[in-house]
């Protein structure tokens, strides 16, 4: 079964991989078993034991019945969680549909619904408008500075 996991080091057995994953993980207050892989950022998928994704390796070792055609998804939404009760296998379409979307952008603006899909828009229009305004101001300042350098105001 371990041979179905892409990027997994060939030297691991199920027992050694189980011990390796548990040794690199810690339990959080919300019940997640968070792993520290090769990256130190919290909240992103982690790679371990070669170049294998930690959540996929954990599914194979702790749950079993791994189907490479399906996606391993975390119920809790934490990308670096390897808790066996939080892992499930879904098709890519089901995983996309079950993903939660925030009602506000990272700057706190309410997001608009896209009438075509019924989901929130990817880009916040307010943030986009403000970013374009800042860009136009920077460009105007550069033009003014360049004209002043040539003595043409």
């Amino acid at each position: 079964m371990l041979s179905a996991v892409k990027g997994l080091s060939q030297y691991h057995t199920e027992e050694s991989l189980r011990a390796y994953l548990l040794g690199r993980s810690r339990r959080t207050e919300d019940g997640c078993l968070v792993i520290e892989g090769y990256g130190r950022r919290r909240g992103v998928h982690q790679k371990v034991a070669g170049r294998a994704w930690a959540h996929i390796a954990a599914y194979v070792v702790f749950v079993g019945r791994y189907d490479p055609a399906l996606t391993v998804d975390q119920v809790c939404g934490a990308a670096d969680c390897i808790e066996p009760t939080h892992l499930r296998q879904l098709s890519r379409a089901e995983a996309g549909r079950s993903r939660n979307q925030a009602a506000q952008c990272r700057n706190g603006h309410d997001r608009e619904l896209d009438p075509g899909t019924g989901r929130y828009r990817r880009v916040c229009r307010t943030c986009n408008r403000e970013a374009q305004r800042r860009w136009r101001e920077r460009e105007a300042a550069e033009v003014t500075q360049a004209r002043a350098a040539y003595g043409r105001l």
Side-chain angles (χ1 to χ4, degrees), residues 86-107:
H86 295 184
L87 299 175
R88 63 183 176 176
Q89 275 203 301
L90 303 169
S91 68
R92 288 184 61 85
E94 288 177 65
R97 281 192 295 272
S98 68
R99 206 168 288 132
N100 291 340
Q101 284 188 307
Q104 281 122 8
C105 73
R106 64 181 174 183
N107 293 322

Side-chain angles (χ1 to χ4, degrees), residues 92-145:
R92 288 184 61 85
E94 288 177 65
R97 281 192 295 272
S98 68
R99 206 168 288 132
N100 291 340
Q101 284 188 307
Q104 281 122 8
C105 73
R106 64 181 174 183
N107 293 322
H109 304 122
D110 289 332
R111 296 173 82 186
E112 299 175 16
L113 286 174
D114 186 4
T117 62
R119 294 177 64 86
Y120 290 118
R121 292 182 183 270
R122 292 180 118 200
V123 179
C124 172
R125 288 188 181 194
T126 306
C127 291
N128 191 23
R129 187 179 329 112
E130 291 173 4
Q132 288 179 357
R133 180 188 49 78
R134 289 191 306 269
W135 179 82
R136 283 192 294 274
E137 288 173 358
R138 280 195 311 270
E139 289 294 311
E142 286 180 18
V143 168
T144 303
Q145 186 179 13

Side-chain angles (χ1 to χ4, degrees), residues 6 11-13 18 21 29-30 34-35 38 50-54 58 64 69 77-78 83 93 95 101 139 144 149:
K6 289 184 182 177
Y11 301 107
H12 279 289
T13 63
R18 184 177 292 115
L21 291 172
E29 298 95 32
D30 56 356
V34 175
I35 190 156
Y38 298 140
R51 294 177 302 154
W53 293 109
E83 170 63 35
Q101 284 188 307
E139 289 294 311
T144 303

Side-chain angles (χ1 to χ4, degrees), residues 70-88:
L70 298 175
T71 303
V72 176
D73 186 41
Q74 289 95 344
V75 177
C76 59
D80 51 357
C81 177
I82 62 166
E83 170 63 35
T85 59
H86 295 184
L87 299 175
R88 63 183 176 176

